[in-house]
Amino acid sequence: MELAFKPLHPHFVAEAGEIDLRETHDDRMLERIRDGMDRFAVLVFRKQRFSNEEQIAFATRLDGELHRKTGISVLQKSRFGDEALTDVSNVGADGGILEPESRRRLYGLANRLWHTDASFQDPRGRYSMLAALVVPPVSADTEFADMRTAWDTLPEATRASLEGLQVHHSIAYSRQTLGFEFSEGENDRLRGAVHPLVLSNPRNGRRSLYLASHASRILGRPIPDGRLLIRDLMEHATRPELVYRHAWSTGDFVIWDNRATMHRARPFEDTVHRREMRRVTSLDTGDPARVAQSA
Ligand code: OGA
Ligand code: MN
């Protein structure tokens, strides 16, 4: 069986044809999905019905090792019993919608900042795979920005000046910009990580800007200089023509490449309407096909 990809945006993002990812074990089909990721950086799959275990198993088949040192795990243990599965819902352990002052809610609000997943870790995140289980009756969309076209559309002299720069990413930093405070003990566990500003996909050589609201400074530069450069580049990367907005339906499963995109949640009345989403993120270690085979 072939898998078709229908582009949803002029530069990136495609919708995959009908497939049940729970049943996708075939190496050829997994490789076809990886090729689609290399081409489009964001793939939308419809009508998926994963259990938690099936979502984790699929993510491992597709891309190998999973990210388990999530920022939220520093605040509280996952209610699913595996830190690989991040609860991106506005629902607490008791099943009710989170209170306005709930710490988990306030922490999660930072998803409304442009970011990549797990850039504050080393190894960093590669693919994120987000399943929509309960979608509210109002729009509660997610936006994606194309960081490859962002790189391609910078003037050549700017690109040359950015080569070789290293950026520090910290989840404590992005939360603090919203006034969310971590305790000293939490801060100790959230040191952050350093990554190149410019990444290149080893499978196809495509280069991208690697940035996020977690990006706190550029190594070797005075902090305000670095922060201003980061802001300018993020502004460049999130111009409307580089942004795709996803309106979720129940059963949607979206995979994005964190090396090649940024994303952000859009605001909605999250203390009124229930929205349940679950995410697994893989780590950027080795070639996906080889890593997945040995996992
Ligand atoms: C995520 C994320 C945005 C959203 O799951 O990593 O940022 O709209 N989600 O829920
Ligand atoms: Mn995210």
Side-chain angles (χ1 to χ4, degrees):
M1 198 184 80
E2 267 312 315
L3 182 64
F5 296 114
K6 182 179 90 184
L8 297 179
H9 184 279
H11 296 302
F12 70 140
V13 193
E15 178 170 334
E18 237 175 88
I19 185 171
D20 184 345
L21 295 175
R22 294 177 305 183
E23 308 283 315
T24 304
H25 293 261
D26 175 47
D27 280 342
R28 241 191 77 252
M29 188 55 84
L30 291 168
E31 191 56 16
R32 176 101 181 103
I33 296 172
R34 295 181 197 114
D35 286 344
M37 289 300 296
D38 288 336
R39 259 176 82 198
F40 295 104
V42 182
L43 292 179
V44 177
F45 295 84
R46 306 283 189 188
K47 297 191 180 142
Q48 302 300 314
R49 305 153 152 275
F50 289 110
S51 67
N52 295 344
E53 294 71 28
E54 286 166 339
Q55 186 176 346
I56 292 171
F58 170 75
T60 307
R61 286 200 295 282
L62 183 70
D63 206 35
E65 213 183 321
L66 304 181
H67 169 53
R68 288 189 163 85
K69 294 185 203 153
T70 60
I72 189 77
S73 68
V74 168
L75 260 65
Q76 62 179 210
K77 283 228 165 319
S78 162
R79 67 185 164 110
F80 305 130
D82 185 339
E83 299 299 339
L85 196 68
T86 299
D87 189 6
V88 191
S89 307
N90 59 350
V91 173
D94 62 359
I97 293 183
L98 295 174
E99 296 294 330
E101 305 279 327
S102 136
R103 196 149 184 256
R104 222 194 85 211
R105 170 175 183 267
L106 299 177
Y107 176 90
L109 285 181
N111 273 349
R112 296 184 189 175
L113 300 172
W114 281 112
H115 69 282
T116 55
D117 295 329
S119 63
F120 49 88
Q121 290 289 350
D122 191 2
R124 60 188 163 246
R126 185 158 54 209
Y127 296 162
S128 281
M129 308 173 220
L130 183 60
L133 282 79
V134 177
V135 173
V138 293
S139 80
D141 303 346
T142 307
E143 286 183 334
F144 295 89
D146 177 6
M147 302 303 276
R148 300 179 307 188
T149 307
W151 171 256
D152 293 343
T153 53
L154 285 170
E156 203 176 321
T158 307
R159 289 204 302 255
S161 73
L162 301 179
E163 294 285 1
L165 293 181
Q166 298 280 326
V167 181
H168 179 254
H169 292 250
S170 148
I171 195 159
Y173 172 71
S174 62
R175 264 58 188 169
Q176 277 152 12
T177 62
L178 293 182
F180 182 91
E181 296 292 342
F182 289 98
S183 69
E184 225 166 89
E186 288 167 345
N187 266 324
D188 273 355
R189 295 168 61 192
L190 296 169
R191 286 277 162 72
V194 171
H195 299 293
L197 173 62
V198 186
L199 296 182
S200 132
N201 178 337
R203 284 163 59 92
N204 64 5
R206 278 207 71 177
R207 314 196 73 209
S208 54
L209 272 178
Y210 189 58
L211 278 175
S213 299
H214 311 313
S216 69
R217 60 193 158 84
I218 295 188
L219 269 57
R221 294 227 175 159
I223 286 177
D225 291 5
R227 285 194 182 159
L228 285 166
L229 175 58
I230 289 166
R231 280 189 189 210
D232 278 349
L233 291 172
M234 289 193 39
E235 217 173 281
H236 165 78
T238 54
R239 286 168 295 143
E241 62 268 30
L242 300 191
V243 172
Y244 163 77
R245 183 169 179 130
H246 189 70
W248 294 90
S249 299
T250 302
D252 282 0
F253 183 70
V254 177
I255 310 181
W256 63 86
D257 186 337
N258 287 293
R259 300 166 304 180
T261 58
M262 291 196 297
H263 61 280
R264 65 172 179 178
R266 300 314 293 143
F268 71 105
E269 282 182 294
D270 68 295
T271 57
V272 177
H273 301 290
R274 174 179 291 265
R275 181 177 187 258
E276 293 191 45
M277 321 274 281
R278 282 171 206 176
R279 171 164 62 77
V280 175
T281 297
S282 61
L283 294 177
D284 189 14
T285 52
D287 180 75
R290 275 207 311 273
V291 174
Q293 266 163 26
S294 61

